[in-house]
Amino acid sequence: MYDKMFREAFTFWDKLSEEESESLLGGSLETEYRRGEVIYCSETECKGIFLVLSGSMRVYIVSEEGREVTLFRVYGGESCVLTASCLLEAIQFEVIIEAVEEVRSVLIPVAVLHPVMNVNPYVELYMYKKAAERFSDVVWTMQQILFMGADRRVAIFLWDEMLRQKRHSLRITHDEIAKNIGSAREVVTKVLKYFAQEGVLALGRGKVEIVDKLRLQEYL
């Protein structure tokens, strides 16, 4: 059922023996999560590799003051290996992962993945390579938070969402934007109101509409 999907998503798939691929296929589980549901918390569990079929996941950390900072998001067709961080001894990454929207995914559980990973170095190489790519995303996020103004961070986020969703009207709250760019909701509200006054956006309840793409692009 998942053979074609796994072959396209996992670079190690052609390096598996028939027995190894059958083990991973037979032990995989299809999972569903509601919008806002916590999928993974690294302090309490180790699940395995997720392959997202549809929807998106948000990977974030929480400060001692309770502030959430989104590190990166995982979209349909992408895998998430940090949910198997117990198998990556060189990497300790305390994160929480939640469903941004309704998520359908396939999980290769740790109990199924670990035996194959122990005997096939290509699987372990894939895990570390994917983790390293995500660290690159984290560094970019930290650079934005440390060195970019809130107006530019909001503009970049809205621009990326417009391109991803392929529409100008985005169903998203000020609080959700704040969590995604690592800022306070009050700061985001001020930026959005300024953009609205400048004719870049139109604001509604739980909705942001991009009315002038060229003007928004000037803030990137």
Side-chain angles (χ1 to χ4, degrees), residues 30-78:
E30 190 160 332
T31 58
E32 294 184 0
Y33 297 93
R34 300 182 304 276
R35 175 186 171 92
E37 184 176 354
V38 173
I39 297 171
Y40 170 81
C41 179
S42 55
E43 293 181 348
T44 60
E45 57 191 334
C46 185
K47 288 193 169 181
I49 296 181
F50 276 98
L51 176 61
V52 179
L53 304 180
S54 63
S56 63
M57 301 176 174
R58 179 173 75 101
V59 181
Y60 67 97
I61 56 176
V62 181
S63 71
E64 293 182 358
E65 298 78 23
R67 176 181 164 191
E68 296 180 8
V69 177
T70 300
L71 301 176
F72 57 86
R73 288 167 71 170
V74 185
Y75 299 103
E78 297 180 340

Side-chain angles (χ1 to χ4, degrees), residues 8-175:
E8 293 175 353
F10 302 132
T11 55
F12 62 75
W13 199 252
D14 290 335
K15 306 294 185 181
L16 299 176
S17 67
E18 184 176 346
E19 182 181 357
E20 290 167 348
S21 60
E22 288 179 355
S23 175
L24 296 184
L25 286 169
S28 297
L29 307 170
E30 190 160 332
T31 58
E32 294 184 0
Y33 297 93
R34 300 182 304 276
R35 175 186 171 92
E37 184 176 354
V38 173
I39 297 171
Y40 170 81
C41 179
S42 55
E43 293 181 348
T44 60
E45 57 191 334
C46 185
K47 288 193 169 181
I49 296 181
F50 276 98
L51 176 61
V52 179
L53 304 180
S54 63
S56 63
M57 301 176 174
R58 179 173 75 101
V59 181
Y60 67 97
I61 56 176
V62 181
S63 71
E64 293 182 358
E65 298 78 23
R67 176 181 164 191
E68 296 180 8
V69 177
T70 300
L71 301 176
F72 57 86
R73 288 167 71 170
V74 185
Y75 299 103
E78 297 180 340
S79 63
C80 185
V81 302
L82 295 185
T83 44
S85 58
C86 59
L87 302 182
L88 303 173
E89 297 179 359
I91 296 176
Q92 295 298 321
F93 208 14
E94 300 296 332
V95 298
I96 301 171
I97 302 176
E98 72 171 13
V100 177
E101 49 203 357
E102 186 174 311
V103 170
R104 287 181 58 247
S105 60
V106 177
L107 171 66
I108 303 178
V110 165
V112 177
L113 178 65
H114 195 198
V116 176
M117 185 174 165
N118 276 342
V119 298
N120 192 314
Y122 290 101
V123 179
E124 185 176 25
L125 179 63
Y126 172 86
M127 297 276 287
Y128 277 105
K129 183 178 179 182
K130 281 296 178 182
E133 289 174 358
R134 289 308 183 184
F135 275 120
S136 178
D137 293 335
V138 172
V139 170
W140 166 239
T141 298
M142 293 300 107
Q143 286 178 326
Q144 285 186 304
I145 293 173
L146 292 172
F147 304 120
M148 290 184 187
D151 56 345
R152 187 179 177 195
R153 284 152 54 200
V154 170
I156 289 173
F157 175 76
L158 294 177
W159 183 267
D160 289 344
E161 282 298 292
M162 178 186 68
L163 295 180
R164 184 181 73 84
Q165 297 186 29
K166 298 179 180 178
R167 59 186 181 186
H168 293 80
S169 184
L170 307 175
R171 283 286 176 185
I172 193 165
T173 66
H174 297 194
D175 188 54

